[in-house]
């Protein structure tokens, strides 16, 4: 290639190229968006509850009123297993589902979740995270996270982390210069028992027909497992 | 044995109201203070039991109750039916949990961004990581590259370290092991006493730094006091953002050429020394103050010396006579003077300071907004570094026949600061300002640099005399000025956390007193982060670099150093043909495809 040709090609004027790219980037700005947190409804070392705005106007029937016991009963019926990526999905042996929430997790989560469902709007969902110390507590937390939403008579739950180690700092504890973004949310398959209440709604989304479930199921966790009142609530 | 709070127990503790009553607030504060002291000295002899614990099994973390479920069921039913009392129930629970606790191994091992080995009390942790960046480069250069670059990135080869122009044919195709890193990091005694070791072994991209395993970082850090963290050893100087950023977390396959040149020391981004700083995660305004050798990694100022004749105070540097300016008063001629052994700068250190304000959030390091920040993250920072008494060669223009300081000179040439070479002893003062913004996948960063080069020897460098040690007949046509440059870059995640498009423009004036020497660089990159983190990525970066070859560089441009009649070729110890013939602009278009795995 001759130098003359390169001279013509070369700067294609660098500045204008950058400007053009930035304009293109700005135009793309509205395209790729993720749901975002609008407010933090509760936060302590064990549980974090956020309201998240969804961008596609999902039309939930929030605020929704469910008692803590009702929420606890629904949570107790949920189970999950991680979805394998393709092509492993075709060959890998399926792992049996596990209960998403342990009793102690339901105990701390359900009251705040019930309260949060009364505070979010129709375009918002309730994002939750149940936190436990990570394997290296200085560096990470054990996170059980996802979101919940209600569109009567369905309650939807999507799981993002099922006991995943999530960094608690934005940069590595030992390598100061290396950022530690949280791991990407995984794909989980969620189930509900009794299975007859795990249904597909008109939009093809899976959810719990919680109205029917609550009419047929007890809403306490059994003797001695009374749910506490969240701090600061009447 | 250190306490480990069980999951259920912890839930109970954490769920308590966080605002205590007034009557207890002081006692709680006192307890907290005592607790902090205990944690500081790592003497926590407490014991506790768990109702279960998280264990890693087949790559998943599962909670396992300490007690066998069958036994638990029988206990529950016995309690319910009144066969045992609540007291018996609690006692058996405690004993069972203690038994489980005592039987478990005192260490744990798991994988999480590296292989982790830890004692259960978290008093010791070793994390082993590795990083591979494998690259294919296809480049096209213009014909000016046949003349080559002798000014910014020359190669100093041979025992005398003479200048070689960096030349090549137009087309180049190469595979590189661009980065191969091994990391050993963790903490000892306490999570606040850390260590970090990074080894590197990668393909050489020039002839003067052959590939070999070397120690990039080796340091310890104390984070006991959040406002007074201390780092000691060899590491990257906290000076400017683009240097502090890890190459594992960039928007392009490489830093820009200019940002490589504007390191704190002018030699390398790494150095050996000590830095005090506060914790960026805690404080919105951050300071860094460091003292270093100012000589680059794995070397100190004992590797830098000036040439002196056997007669003290008489400059040496060439065979058979005195160098310029000479003859120095009282100095004899014709002494053996290749004695590059006088270490006159070993009492000097480099000082580097950085101040940073996180105006919004914590932008952190890492160039793009891979975390998809839900709120704007904005930071502005600035730095100053003073690196005195860098010997760029004896100040007599006879660089090619001066044995001294090959290590220092090669470091400068490797990062593009070779125009400073031959200016004698210089003090480098470097300023930087940087800015970063991240928001919902969009990122923008900018940096400005300025370097003042203070020559100890004032006046124009002498390059020719008629006789050894005689009066100067020809001086350099101009004085070396300063260096300046700036950079802007921006990126956007077209697919949040996965696919990013980024562009960068860099401007660099390596000698403010010269014309035709500007270096301009444009980069565009498409980056695919396979798992939404920097650990696994594929980058395709297009770069266009235009490098002006104008200006005067000692030992490479006419007039070349000579002793004797300049009309005679024999008067030129390194030849009489300058390396920068034509002084054209070197242009390179390159596509770099890089795969990175950090595990």
């Amino acid at each position: 290639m001759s130098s003359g040709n390169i001279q013509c090609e070369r700067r294609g004027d660098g500045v204008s190229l950058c400007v053009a790219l930035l304009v293109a980037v700005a135009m793309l700005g509205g395209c790729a968006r993720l749901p975002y947190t609008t407010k933090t409804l509760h936060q302590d070392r064990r549980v974090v509850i956020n309201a998240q705005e969804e961008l596609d106007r999902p039309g939930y029937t929030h605020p929704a009123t469910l008692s803590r016991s009702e929420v606890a009963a629904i949570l107790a019926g949920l189970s999950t297993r991680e979805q394998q990526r393709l092509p492993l999905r075709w060959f890998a042996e399926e792992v049996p589902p596990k209960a998403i929430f342990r009793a102690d997790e339901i105990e701390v989560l359900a009251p705040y979740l019930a309260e949060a469902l009364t505070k979010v709007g129709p375009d918002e969902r309730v994002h939750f995270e149940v936190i436990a110390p990570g394997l290296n507590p200085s560096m990470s937390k054990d996170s059980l996270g996802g979101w919940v939403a209600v569109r009567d008579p369905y309650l939807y739950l999507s799981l993002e982390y099922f006991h995943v180690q999530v960094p608690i700092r934005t940069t590595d504890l030992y390598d100061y210069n290396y950022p530690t973004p949280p791991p990407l949310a995984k794909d989980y398959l969620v189930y509900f028992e009794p299975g007859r209440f795990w249904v597909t709604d008109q939009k093809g989304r899976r959810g719990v027909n919680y109205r029917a479930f609550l009419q047929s199921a007890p809403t306490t966790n059994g003797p001695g497992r009374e749910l506490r009142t969240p701090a600061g609530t009447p | 044995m250190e306490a480990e709070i069980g999951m259920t127990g912890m839930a109970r503790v954490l769920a308590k109201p966080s605002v205590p009553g007034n009557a207890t607030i002081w006692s709680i504060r006192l307890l907290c203070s005592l607790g902090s002291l205990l944690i500081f000295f790592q003497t926590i002899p407490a014991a506790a039991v768990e109702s279960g614990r998280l264990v890693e099994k087949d790559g998943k973390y599962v909670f396992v109750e300490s007690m066998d479920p069958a036994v638990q069921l029988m206990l529950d039913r016995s309690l319910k039916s009144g066969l045992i009392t609540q007291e018996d129930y609690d006692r058996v629970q405690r004993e069972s949990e203690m038994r489980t606790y005592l039987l478990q191994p005192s260490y744990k091992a798991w994988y999480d961004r590296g292989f982790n080995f830890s004692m259960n009390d978290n008093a010791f942790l070793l994390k082993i990581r590795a990083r591979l960046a494998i690259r294919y480069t296809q480049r096209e250069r213009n014909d000016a590259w046949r003349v080559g670059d002798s000014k910014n990135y020359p190669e100093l080869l041979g025992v005398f370290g003479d200048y070689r122009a960096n030349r090549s044919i137009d087309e180049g195709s190469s595979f590189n092991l661009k980065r191969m890193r091994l990391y050993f990091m963790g903490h000892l005694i306490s999570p606040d006493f850390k260590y970090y070791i990074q080894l590197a072994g990668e393909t050489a991209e020039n002839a003067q730094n052959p590939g070999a395993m070397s120690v990039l970082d080796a340091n310890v850090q104390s984070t006991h006091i959040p406002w007074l963290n201390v780092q000691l050893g060899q590491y990257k100087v906290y000076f400017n953002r683009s240097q502090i950023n890890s190459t594992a977390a960039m928007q392009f396959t490489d830093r820009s050429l200019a940002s490589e040149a504007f390191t704190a020391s002018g030699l390398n981004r790494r150095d050996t020394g000590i830095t005090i700083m506060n914790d960026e995660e805690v404080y919105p305004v951050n300071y860094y103050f460091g003292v270093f050798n100012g000589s680059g990694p794995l070397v100190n100022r004992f590797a830098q010396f000036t040439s002196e004749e056997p007669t003290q105070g008489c400059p040496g540097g060439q065979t058979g006579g005195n160098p310029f300016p000479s003859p120095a008063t009282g100095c004899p001629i014709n002494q053996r003077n290749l004695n590059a052994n006088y270490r006159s700068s070993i009492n000097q250190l480099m000082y580097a300071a950085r101040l940073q304000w996180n105006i919004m959030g914590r932008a952190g390091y890492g160039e793009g907004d891979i975390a998809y920040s839900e709120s704007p993250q904005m930071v502005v920072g600035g730095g100053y570094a003073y690196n005195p008494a860098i010997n760029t060669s004896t100040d007599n223009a006879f660089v090619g026949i001066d044995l001294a300081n090959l290590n220092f000179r090669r470091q400068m040439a490797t990062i593009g600061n070779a125009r400073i070479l031959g200016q004698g002893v210089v003090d480098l003062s470097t300023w930087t300002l940087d800015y970063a913004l991240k928001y919902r996948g969009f990122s923008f960063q900018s940096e400005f640099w300025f370097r003042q080069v203070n020559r100890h020897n004032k006046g124009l460098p002498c390059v020719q005399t008629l006789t050894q040690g005689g009066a100067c007949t020809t001086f350099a046509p101009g004085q070396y000025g300063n260096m300046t440059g700036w950079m802007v870059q921006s990126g956007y995640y077209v697919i949040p956390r996965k696919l990013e498009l980024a562009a960068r423009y860099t401007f660099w004036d390596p000698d403010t007193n010269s014309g035709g020497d500007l270096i301009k660089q444009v980069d565009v990159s498409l980056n695919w982060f396979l798992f939404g983190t920097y650990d696994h990525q594929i980058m395709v970066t297009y770069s266009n670099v235009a490098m002006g070859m104008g200006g005067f560089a000692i030992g490479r441009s006419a007039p070349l150093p000579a002793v004797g009649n300049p009309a005679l070729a024999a008067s030129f110890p390194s030849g009489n043909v300058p390396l920068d013939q034509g002084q054209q602009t070197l242009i390179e278009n390159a596509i770099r495809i890089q795969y990175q795995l950090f595990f």
Side-chain angles (χ1 to χ4, degrees):
Chain A
M1 185 183 292
S2 73
S3 61
N5 287 339
I6 297 180
Q7 285 282 3
C8 296
E9 292 170 18
R10 87 164 172 107
R11 292 290 98 201
D13 197 11
V15 176
S16 49
L17 179 63
C18 282
V19 170
L21 192 71
L22 287 174
V23 170
V25 161
M27 290 171 66
L28 285 167
C31 303
R33 296 276 302 276
L34 294 177
Y36 57 93
T37 299
T38 51
K39 54 184 175 285
T40 298
L41 301 170
H42 174 79
Q43 183 167 18
D44 63 29
R45 289 172 59 195
R46 181 71 166 139
V47 178
V48 179
I49 305 281
N50 291 320
Q52 279 191 343
E53 180 91 11
E54 287 195 26
L55 303 169
D56 53 356
R57 299 197 169 278
Y60 296 128
T61 52
H62 298 154
T65 306
L66 282 95
S67 72
R68 297 164 207 153
S69 301
E70 288 171 340
V71 171
I74 295 168
L75 296 183
L78 291 160
S79 59
T80 187
R81 64 183 171 87
E82 192 177 336
Q83 186 170 34
Q84 296 279 1
R85 288 189 180 84
L86 287 173
L88 291 177
R89 200 181 302 167
W90 297 331
F91 307 105
E93 187 181 346
E94 289 192 349
V95 180
K98 296 172 183 171
I100 295 178
F101 301 99
R102 299 192 308 264
D104 63 292
E105 290 164 344
I106 292 173
E107 190 178 2
V108 295
L109 178 63
Y112 298 118
L113 216 47
E115 191 185 353
L117 284 169
T118 65
K119 293 181 176 175
V120 290
D123 292 336
E124 291 177 319
R125 63 194 194 186
V126 177
H127 188 273
F128 66 87
E129 186 181 17
V130 182
I131 300 166
L135 289 165
N136 176 5
S138 307
M139 178 65 203
S140 61
K141 59 186 177 184
D142 175 278
S143 177
L144 170 62
W147 57 264
V148 170
V150 172
R151 186 192 296 119
D152 249 338
Y154 307 106
L155 183 144
Y156 307 98
L157 183 138
S158 179
L159 201 55
E160 295 174 348
Y161 296 142
F162 183 63
H163 296 293
V164 171
Q165 298 290 300
V166 176
I168 56 177
R169 296 173 60 96
T170 55
T171 53
D172 193 282
L173 191 64
Y174 308 102
D175 182 355
Y176 286 176
N177 311 325
Y178 191 61
T180 50
L184 217 52
K186 294 183 177 177
D187 292 327
Y188 295 97
L189 297 172
V190 175
Y191 307 95
F192 185 78
E193 291 293 336
R196 64 181 183 278
F197 300 112
W198 186 239
V199 294
T200 304
D201 69 5
Q202 298 87 336
K203 295 184 177 180
R205 292 173 68 178
R206 300 282 282 177
V208 182
N209 186 337
Y210 76 97
R211 292 281 182 205
F213 169 69
L214 293 174
Q215 282 173 2
S216 66
T219 56
T220 60
N221 284 344
R225 306 298 296 233
E226 277 302 315
L227 297 170
R228 295 184 321 278
T229 301
T233 56
Chain B
M1 182 173 61
E2 189 180 327
E4 285 196 16
I5 301 172
M7 308 296 282
T8 308
M10 193 189 76
R12 290 193 194 103
V13 170
L14 295 176
K16 286 182 179 175
S18 57
V19 182
N22 288 336
T24 57
I25 195 160
W26 283 106
S27 52
I28 288 175
R29 283 179 181 172
L30 182 63
L31 282 173
C32 289
S33 304
L34 289 171
S36 303
L37 281 174
L38 283 173
I39 290 167
F40 184 81
F41 292 105
Q42 280 299 298
T43 53
I44 309 175
V49 293
E50 300 180 350
S51 68
R53 63 192 175 103
L54 280 173
V55 297
E56 189 276 337
K57 201 72 180 176
D58 301 331
K60 299 181 186 307
Y61 299 102
V62 292
F63 186 84
V64 179
E65 294 285 349
S66 301
M67 187 173 284
D68 184 279
V71 178
Q72 182 75 56
L73 178 68
M74 283 192 288
L75 272 176
D76 287 343
R77 293 203 171 165
S78 299
L79 176 66
K80 198 173 181 181
S81 61
L83 286 176
I84 60 172
T85 65
Q86 183 69 43
E87 200 173 80
D88 294 334
Y89 179 89
D90 291 342
R91 180 176 52 77
V92 172
Q93 283 272 15
R94 277 198 303 274
E95 286 174 359
S96 171
E97 289 163 4
M98 178 57 81
R99 178 177 175 275
T100 305
Y101 179 79
L102 293 173
L103 287 176
Q104 72 186 14
S106 56
Y107 62 90
K108 54 189 175 188
W110 73 98
Y111 178 83
D112 178 29
R113 302 178 195 224
F115 299 95
N116 295 264
F117 304 94
S118 166
M119 304 307 288
N120 280 346
D121 60 5
N122 204 28
F124 169 83
L125 178 112
L126 168 65
K127 180 193 278 276
I128 300 174
R129 299 198 74 177
R131 175 155 66 104
L132 295 175
I134 302 159
R135 175 185 298 181
Y136 174 75
T137 304
Q138 180 68 42
R139 70 176 125 225
E140 291 286 336
R141 290 175 162 176
N142 68 349
D143 294 340
W145 276 96
R146 287 293 289 118
V147 177
D149 172 20
S150 58
K151 293 178 176 172
N152 300 308
Y153 298 91
E155 292 173 312
L156 308 182
L157 301 176
V159 292
F160 294 108
D162 201 358
Y163 295 113
R164 311 290 166 94
N166 186 346
R167 297 177 170 181
S168 76
I169 58 173
D170 291 354
E171 187 178 338
S173 311
S174 60
F175 287 96
N176 266 9
L177 184 55
K178 179 60 184 173
R179 296 179 188 95
M180 197 296 289
R181 306 284 168 83
L182 264 178
Y183 303 82
F184 301 90
M185 53 185 135
H187 57 252
L188 292 165
I189 307 167
S190 148
D192 284 318
F193 185 67
K194 301 166 186 147
Y195 61 93
Y196 182 82
I197 297 168
Q198 183 179 185
L199 308 178
E202 36 220 34
T203 308
E205 288 194 315
N206 58 57
Q208 60 190 351
N209 294 315
M213 284 296 287
S214 65
V215 178
L216 280 191
D217 295 297
N219 58 78
V220 293
Q221 306 132 42
S222 161
T223 55
H224 296 87
I225 308 171
W227 55 270
L228 190 67
N229 291 348
V230 181
Q231 190 166 9
L232 175 69
Q234 181 175 298
Y235 48 92
K236 284 199 282 191
V237 178
Y238 296 92
F239 177 60
N240 54 347
R241 174 165 291 275
S242 59
Q243 293 293 338
I244 297 172
N245 281 338
S246 169
T247 51
M250 296 202 304
Q251 290 178 308
F252 306 90
T253 52
D254 289 306
R255 295 184 181 89
S256 69
L257 294 177
S259 67
E260 294 277 11
F262 285 94
T263 59
S265 67
L267 304 169
N268 195 292
R269 68 182 69 90
R270 287 183 167 80
D271 221 300
T272 308
I274 185 169
T275 298
I276 57 170
M277 62 192 119
N278 61 3
D279 190 338
E280 267 191 46
E281 302 270 336
V282 178
Y283 301 100
V285 177
N286 311 119
Y287 75 92
Y288 301 84
F289 179 72
V291 183
F292 300 88
N293 282 330
S295 51
L298 296 177
V299 66
N300 60 22
R301 286 181 186 255
F302 279 86
Q304 172 174 276
F305 33 73
T306 52
S307 296
E308 189 180 57
E309 291 181 343
T311 302
Q312 292 180 17
C314 294
Q318 62 187 96
T319 305
N322 301 98
F324 309 116
S326 70
T329 306
C331 290
I333 61 170
N334 294 326
Q335 282 194 5
R336 172 187 170 84
N337 56 13
L338 284 177
N339 294 312
N341 61 352
Y342 178 43
R343 293 173 171 90
S344 57
S345 67
I346 54 175
N347 60 345
Q348 302 286 345
L349 293 167
M350 178 179 82
Y351 302 91
R354 175 175 172 79
L355 195 62
Q356 175 175 288
W357 178 24
N358 289 284
I359 300 170
M360 287 189 269
R362 293 288 189 278
Y365 296 103
E367 293 185 338
D369 186 24
I370 197 169
Y372 194 81
S373 306
E374 288 194 341
S375 58
Q377 314 286 308
M378 186 190 293
V379 61
V380 61
Y384 171 71
Y386 176 65
N387 195 16
I390 297 299
N391 193 344
T392 64
S393 82
T394 309
D395 182 35
N396 64 356
F398 286 83
V399 182
I401 54 173
D402 188 348
L403 279 169
N405 307 313
L406 260 187
N407 189 300
F408 279 56
R409 291 164 55 211
R410 279 179 175 157
Q411 286 192 72
M412 296 180 84
T414 301
I415 63 172
N417 285 329
R419 283 178 186 264
I420 306 175
L421 295 181
Q423 303 290 336
V425 179
V426 297
D427 301 331
L428 302 178
S429 293
T430 311
W431 285 265
T432 181
L433 285 172
D434 52 67
Y435 169 85
L437 170 70
K438 300 176 182 178
Y439 184 50
R440 289 184 181 171
F442 171 80
S443 64
F444 176 83
Q445 289 183 63
S446 182
E447 275 191 32
F448 167 79
W449 312 284
F450 179 77
R451 172 172 292 143
Q452 183 188 35
V453 181
N454 176 39
R455 296 172 64 239
H456 285 202
N457 298 304
K458 306 303 179 187
L460 291 173
C462 177
V463 290
Q464 292 180 357
T465 60
L466 279 176
T467 59
Q468 291 280 7
C472 189
T473 56
T474 307
F475 290 92
Q479 183 70 277
Y480 181 83
N482 298 307
M483 286 172 65
T484 188
W486 52 268
M487 171 270 285
V488 288
Q489 71 184 63
S490 183
Y492 184 73
Y493 277 81
V494 181
I495 301 173
R497 302 202 57 176
K498 290 226 169 173
L499 188 67
E500 183 189 35
L501 189 60
R504 176 175 65 192
Y505 180 76
T506 314
F507 175 92
W508 176 18
D509 184 355
D511 179 0
T512 53
N513 280 358
S514 293
D517 64 335
L518 299 181
I519 300 171
K520 298 171 185 172
Q521 181 176 353
V522 178
D523 305 273
V524 180
S525 195
L526 185 66
N527 312 319
W528 181 23
F529 302 93
L530 280 73
F531 296 143
T533 68
Y534 293 110
D535 293 349
H536 199 196
Q537 58 178 256
I538 297 171
M539 280 186 172
V540 181
T541 300
Y542 162 77
S543 299
N544 174 286
V545 178
M547 196 184 302
M549 282 293 110
F552 176 80
I554 288 180
R556 293 148 277 178
S557 307
L560 287 168
V563 177
N565 183 356
L568 303 174
S571 302
F572 293 84
S574 295
N576 60 355
V577 181
L579 295 178
D580 61 346
Q581 298 172 69
Q583 302 201 350
Q584 300 176 62
T585 298
L586 308 181
I587 297 167
E588 177 184 280
N589 289 287
I591 291 178
R592 295 180 173 86
I593 304 167
Q594 179 173 288
Y595 170 75
Q596 176 175 287
L597 181 63
F598 198 3
F599 59 98

